[in-house]
Every structure is written in structure tokens, then in C-alpha cells.
Amino acid sequence: MAIQSSGNKDSMMFYAPRNASARMRSLLYFGLGVAFLCLAPAAHAYAGESSGTPAVPESTAPAGGGALPVPYTPEESTQLCEANFTEVPDFIGGTLPVYGTWTLTSSGEDTHGAIARLKAFLGKIPDTRIAHEEYRGSKGIVDIIALGPMFAEPSKVTVPRYAPLEMRVEFDGEMGATSLVIRPWRKQQGTRDILKYAACSMLAAAATGKMPALPEQLKKTPMFNNPFKKNVDPQFGDEGERSRQGKDALFQRAEHAGKAFVVMPVLRFLKKYPDMSVDQLREEQLVNFWLDHTAMVEWRRADDPAAMIRVGATWSMIERGLDGYVYALSRNGKSDYTIFIVDPGAYELKGTSTEVRRAPMPDMSAKAWSDRPSIGTASFKATKDTEYYKTQVWQDAKYQTKTYTETYCALMSATTGGCMGFDVATRKYAEQVDSAGYKEVELDKQVGGLVVTTELSRPFATFKVGKGDVVFADGFILDGASVAVDHDACKQTSEDVASCSMKTFNLIRVPIKAENIAEWQGDRIGVPSLAALFARAKPAAITVASGTSALPEKPGTFEAGWGTRYSLKSK
């Protein structure tokens, strides 16, 4: 069994139902528009557009000293937010489960000040509350729950549901960067324009940007009425180019702030599941694919375990916030290369997580349970997952009412018998548009599964990265053979959670080579500062834990010729 997690699968989002009437949709847009419009004056003040002094005193310099490079105007800050706003589709589940964006500040890089502006902005929105708030050095994290005028409907069920919207905002004062991630419940879909407007309004408050235009105005007027339009660099004209320039600025700001840069490989799905359709992945490869899709390996900084590098194919900055990878580079091999901006220090591989579909809780007895297992524990949380299947159902013939017009004589001449006046009549008739018979339909069902996380008693591997360093490090990949538990050392810790001592734990170590990095040293990716970073990249010295052994390669497996499996066994 393997280990991994894909995040909060129970979170929710806005949705204007596809079968809703135009009136219902307009009411939804109106309700949300009013909610944000009513606080627009206050939001502009917190976003740095008031004529007076900002409400919260703030520093305009990062912790490292000096003004941040690549300054952004308030207009450019919000333009970057809108250019980065992305829907990440879950094509296996058939929904759009993740929305994310990020931007750079126009001024005011003090983290507490930025979060205070955001909270003041949120305080004007009815039924919106802060669920969690924390600070770590120059970083701040806010989890938000909004219960205002939102309408949600499951994608496969016709009964509408009202649901909260959950989102996370992260702010890094050293880089002057902020992100927002919306992760809905899997069976719901969101109204993109409203989510984009809400997300960039909140980031405008935190990053002192310009408030975005209301969704209703997007079709009628330009998105921004920029008073500095003549002075804006042409690079900000195209959204794709604007996003690339934003990443270039982010890397420059990160280097100025003394951050480090780490490149690690992750699984390339197109190589493991080549030319497979959605139906094939859902029906033939769902368990393996979903495990790979949600797999995450967690590196924790030795002197601050809350500072982490979470490595996985779906752990991008759009999907996970500022802690996610900024860029993914692809070639024809079995790996993609992901680039992280991290705080310098020593990092230890101490945990993993994944989701396992169609899996029951492990058998357990607690005969040999110990609170201090020798290599660590695996925890299992029961879930209910939606799966789709096709079946045959009988459907009656379908008819559609159609109309046609005909001209007829409405007034006859009594003398001549000729027609003196004509009129037009509208006739209706039923036309068969679909014959009766058995039809293939797609239905869904709820199936039990598990979220599996591991916690190691000691690091599986370690490496160090210094201030300003650019390193490429071997990747460690989780799969279905990564964890074996001692069924006599398990106990149930709550109604739907169990923990077991691990007998063995192993990961596939995937090497990354200098020649792989050299392929990206040119400016072909459109981010000059990244190309410059790659030019001085060096390998990271990774130390694997004592007692860990390399297992023989198994010909015919996917990892053959790609990586080596390292195993840690309990004594």
C-alpha cells in the first residue's frame, strides 16, 4: 500500500447551475456583485488607492533590506492576479476542483500589515469569517470561509445546495508576493468570473492593488481603466506574456530576499499512462492513477518543521499557494522537473500522503502497539469518493414540438369568388427526435477509500541548501508498494481514523542530472532570470538514512531504468 493526500476534498465553491434560468444567473451575479461593490470604497482605501495615508502602517522594504526589484503599480499587480487566475481541471472526476492565482505587491511588504488590510476588507462582506490565521517569520497564512450569497449545485445531481466557499491566502513579505487557492467540493463547479473577481479583490486588498472590474462590466468595458496606460511596458499587454514576466519578477524578488531554489523531479503522467482516455483511466487504472495523482512527499526544515517543501505532480503554486512549485519543465523522459522557492536550511524527508481509491480500513489488533514505533506510523482516514460508470437504461421515444406557418385566404369576394385578403396561420406538430430503446448513460456512485499519511520517526533522507543557492536534487516518489504495516500494531484513534506501525517503508529515488538542467539554461521558457539561475545550478548532496537499502531492479516495471527503490525496515 502507498501513501498520499490531495488536500481538502470536502471544501466548496460558488456555482451558477448550468440549467439555471437567465434570471437566476443574473440574480446570483447581482447578489455577489452587491456584496463586493458595497465595500469597494473601503477596499480601495485598503488597497492603497485612498487619497490619504493607508490605514495600516507598513514597511516598503523586505526583511533583507532595500526596495524590492521589479516594482509593480497597483494596476499591474491586479492585472497579474487576473492573468494568473487558473482553473485546474479534475478530468477524472469531471469537475473543476481547484482555482488559484497569485500576484506581486505594488507596495507595503509588511506581512502583518497586508493581512490586516485583507481582514479589514473581509470584515465588510456579510457572513465571511477567518477560520485560521498564522505567521511564520515573513510569511502569513489566512484560511477564509465565506457564507454569503453563493449558489452551488452538484454536477451530477439536480437538487441545488447552498455551500460555503473555503479559500487560503498566503503572503510572503520578503518577496512581496501573495497567493489565493480555492478548493471546492469535488462534485461542484464554480462560476469562473465571480471566483476570479472575488480572488483578485482579496489579493488587491492584501497587495495594495487596484480593485478589479465587476463581472457584469467585463463584457462591456475594458477590464481596467488604467490611468498609467501610456507608461505601461508593452510586456503587460498579453496575459500569457504578463504571467511569464510576473514569474521572472518573482524569481528576481526571491533572490533579492535571500531565498534558495530547489529543482526536483516528479512523475510524468503522459509516460506512465500513455494515450489513455478518460474512460480508461476511470475504469481500468483509477486506483493507480489516483494514487499517483495525489501523492506528496514532505521535506521539513530541521530547525523549523513548519517550513516545508511538499513535492508532488499536483502541488503547483496555483494548486497549493506560495509553497507549491513555481514552474514545471517537461521533456520526453519519465520525469517532469519542478522548481521551488524555499527558505535556506537543512531539509529532512519526514512524511508522505496519498489517496487510495476502493480501499477498506486495514485489519488491526493492537497486540503489539507501541507509542514509539521504530520507523514510524501510517494513518488511515476513511473517505467517500465519487466514481462514474456507464450502464444501459430504457428511454422512451422523444418528441419535439415544432411549428410551421401557412398562408390562407381570409376574405372571399362574393361577386367573383376570388380571394380579396390573405392571412398567416401558425401550426404545431410533434416530430420524433430520438427513438425508443436502451441508451448508454453515465451515472455516479459513492465508493469507500482512504487518505493515507505517514510520519517517520527519523528522516528517510536529508539535504542542505544555502542562501541564494540553486540546487537540483534527486526526487523520491511514492507508489502503491511504499508502505507495509504491522496489522498487530494498529489502533483506531477515532471513528474514521486508524494508525498502524510500519513494518517497511520505501520510496523510489529518481536521479536528476546536470545535463537535464542544462537543457533549460537557454531563454526558451521566456523567463530570463530563471535561465540565469539554472546557469549556476549545482547538485544537492542527499544523505539517505542509515539502515536504508537499495532493492534490486525489477525488469518490466515502470521504475526500471528510471529510479531505484530504497527501503527502510523495522527491526
Side-chain angles (χ1 to χ4, degrees), residues 370-424:
S370 169
D371 288 333
R372 300 183 66 185
S374 58
I375 63 173
T377 58
S379 296
F380 304 86
K381 182 178 180 180
T383 63
K384 284 292 185 182
D385 300 309
T386 301
E387 293 188 8
Y388 301 94
Y389 65 98
K390 290 183 173 64
T391 188
Q392 298 282 331
V393 298
W394 176 265
Q395 289 184 353
D396 293 331
K398 294 181 180 179
Y399 295 87
Q400 185 175 0
T401 299
K402 295 189 175 183
T403 61
Y404 69 93
T405 60
E406 61 179 1
T407 303
Y408 66 93
C409 183
L411 181 62
M412 298 284 294
S413 171
T415 304
T416 66
C419 187
M420 299 178 61
F422 295 89
D423 206 345
V424 177

Side-chain angles (χ1 to χ4, degrees), residues 43-57:
H44 282 291
Y46 288 109
E49 295 185 17
S50 64
S51 57
T53 303
V56 181

Side-chain angles (χ1 to χ4, degrees), residues 309-343:
I309 308 174
R310 297 179 176 93
V311 184
T314 59
W315 287 75
S316 69
M317 195 162 69
I318 289 295
E319 297 167 277
R320 308 291 171 174
L322 295 180
D323 285 340
Y325 63 80
V326 183
Y327 233 112
L329 309 176
S330 297
R331 272 295 183 258
N332 294 323
K334 296 180 179 180
S335 300
D336 286 335
Y337 300 127
T338 54
I339 305 165
F340 295 85
I341 297 172
V342 305
D343 293 319

Side-chain angles (χ1 to χ4, degrees), residues 166-407:
E166 297 181 4
M167 47 200 160
R168 167 166 286 196
V169 175
E170 296 184 37
F171 191 93
D172 188 316
E174 289 182 341
M175 296 191 297
T178 183
S179 66
L180 187 145
V181 175
I182 302 169
R183 185 174 294 277
W185 180 45
R186 291 196 189 282
K187 293 189 70 176
Q188 291 180 318
Q189 298 188 15
T191 303
R192 189 181 191 277
D193 286 346
I194 293 178
L195 296 179
K196 181 177 180 180
Y197 173 68
C200 291
S201 295
M202 294 179 192
L203 293 193
T208 60
K210 177 182 175 64
M211 282 290 291
L214 290 171
E216 294 91 338
Q217 299 172 343
L218 296 180
K219 297 179 181 178
K220 301 176 183 179
T221 62
M223 192 173 298
F224 290 94
N225 181 16
N226 185 355
F228 305 103
K229 186 174 182 180
K230 293 181 180 179
N231 299 325
V232 173
D233 192 289
Q235 68 192 25
F236 290 102
D238 171 73
E239 283 206 345
E241 183 65 15
R242 184 181 298 134
S243 182
R244 286 190 293 272
Q245 293 291 338
K247 288 181 180 178
D248 191 64
L250 178 66
F251 283 116
Q252 292 183 54
R253 288 189 177 194
E255 187 164 23
H256 177 82
K259 303 285 186 177
F261 306 88
V262 177
V263 182
M264 284 187 175
V266 296
L267 171 68
R268 188 163 188 250
F269 286 96
L270 290 178
K271 282 295 182 180
K272 189 169 183 179
Y273 305 96
D275 303 321
M276 296 195 74
S277 68
V278 170
D279 287 342
Q280 287 175 310
L281 289 173
R282 283 179 178 174
E283 298 165 11
E284 302 171 19
Q285 294 288 337
L286 179 63
V287 174
N288 292 331
F289 175 86
W290 200 256
L291 193 152
D292 291 333
H293 179 72
T294 55
M296 181 271 291
V297 172
E298 189 171 272
W299 297 82
R300 303 173 190 168
R301 206 171 75 190
D303 59 348
D304 180 11
M308 304 180 191
I309 308 174
R310 297 179 176 93
V311 184
T314 59
W315 287 75
S316 69
M317 195 162 69
I318 289 295
E319 297 167 277
R320 308 291 171 174
L322 295 180
D323 285 340
Y325 63 80
V326 183
Y327 233 112
L329 309 176
S330 297
R331 272 295 183 258
N332 294 323
K334 296 180 179 180
S335 300
D336 286 335
Y337 300 127
T338 54
I339 305 165
F340 295 85
I341 297 172
V342 305
D343 293 319
Y347 285 86
E348 302 173 334
L349 199 167
K350 292 293 291 289
T352 63
S353 68
T354 192
E355 287 187 24
V356 184
R357 294 294 193 102
R358 303 170 184 169
M361 279 285 190
D363 296 330
M364 62 188 77
S365 72
K367 291 179 181 178
W369 174 259
S370 169
D371 288 333
R372 300 183 66 185
S374 58
I375 63 173
T377 58
S379 296
F380 304 86
K381 182 178 180 180
T383 63
K384 284 292 185 182
D385 300 309
T386 301
E387 293 188 8
Y388 301 94
Y389 65 98
K390 290 183 173 64
T391 188
Q392 298 282 331
V393 298
W394 176 265
Q395 289 184 353
D396 293 331
K398 294 181 180 179
Y399 295 87
Q400 185 175 0
T401 299
K402 295 189 175 183
T403 61
Y404 69 93
T405 60
E406 61 179 1
T407 303

Side-chain angles (χ1 to χ4, degrees), residues 4-31:
Q4 152 191 27
S5 160
S6 66
N8 180 7
K9 62 183 241 175
D10 298 321
S11 52
M12 308 272 193
M13 76 159 63
F14 310 113
Y15 180 64
R18 291 175 178 171
N19 60 351
S21 66
R23 177 175 173 76
M24 289 176 67
R25 284 182 176 273
S26 65
L27 287 174
L28 171 60
Y29 274 79
F30 177 77

Side-chain angles (χ1 to χ4, degrees), residues 6-177:
S6 66
N8 180 7
K9 62 183 241 175
D10 298 321
S11 52
M12 308 272 193
M13 76 159 63
F14 310 113
Y15 180 64
R18 291 175 178 171
N19 60 351
S21 66
R23 177 175 173 76
M24 289 176 67
R25 284 182 176 273
S26 65
L27 287 174
L28 171 60
Y29 274 79
F30 177 77
L32 285 170
V34 169
F36 281 89
L37 183 60
C38 69
L39 51 84
H44 282 291
Y46 288 109
E49 295 185 17
S50 64
S51 57
T53 303
V56 181
E58 56 199 322
S59 164
T60 58
L68 286 172
V70 197
Y72 267 61
T73 67
E75 289 77 14
E76 292 169 349
S77 177
T78 300
Q79 286 175 336
L80 180 60
C81 175
E82 298 211 335
N84 285 328
F85 189 84
T86 305
E87 307 166 44
V88 182
D90 167 18
F91 57 90
I92 300 301
T95 63
L96 300 172
V98 182
Y99 295 80
T101 188
W102 63 273
T103 193
L104 301 174
T105 57
S106 62
S107 64
E109 279 64 51
D110 176 71
T111 300
H112 287 271
I115 299 301
R117 290 192 298 269
L118 174 63
K119 290 166 67 176
F121 176 85
L122 295 173
K124 304 291 184 180
I125 305 176
D127 299 320
T128 300
R129 65 181 178 87
I130 304 296
H132 174 72
E133 180 179 356
E134 68 174 280
Y135 297 89
R136 299 197 306 267
S138 68
K139 296 180 180 178
I141 298 174
V142 176
D143 290 323
I144 302 164
I145 296 179
L147 298 170
M150 301 166 208
F151 192 75
E153 181 192 48
S155 60
K156 295 293 180 180
V157 181
T158 58
V159 178
R161 301 181 186 178
Y162 290 93
L165 174 69
E166 297 181 4
M167 47 200 160
R168 167 166 286 196
V169 175
E170 296 184 37
F171 191 93
D172 188 316
E174 289 182 341
M175 296 191 297

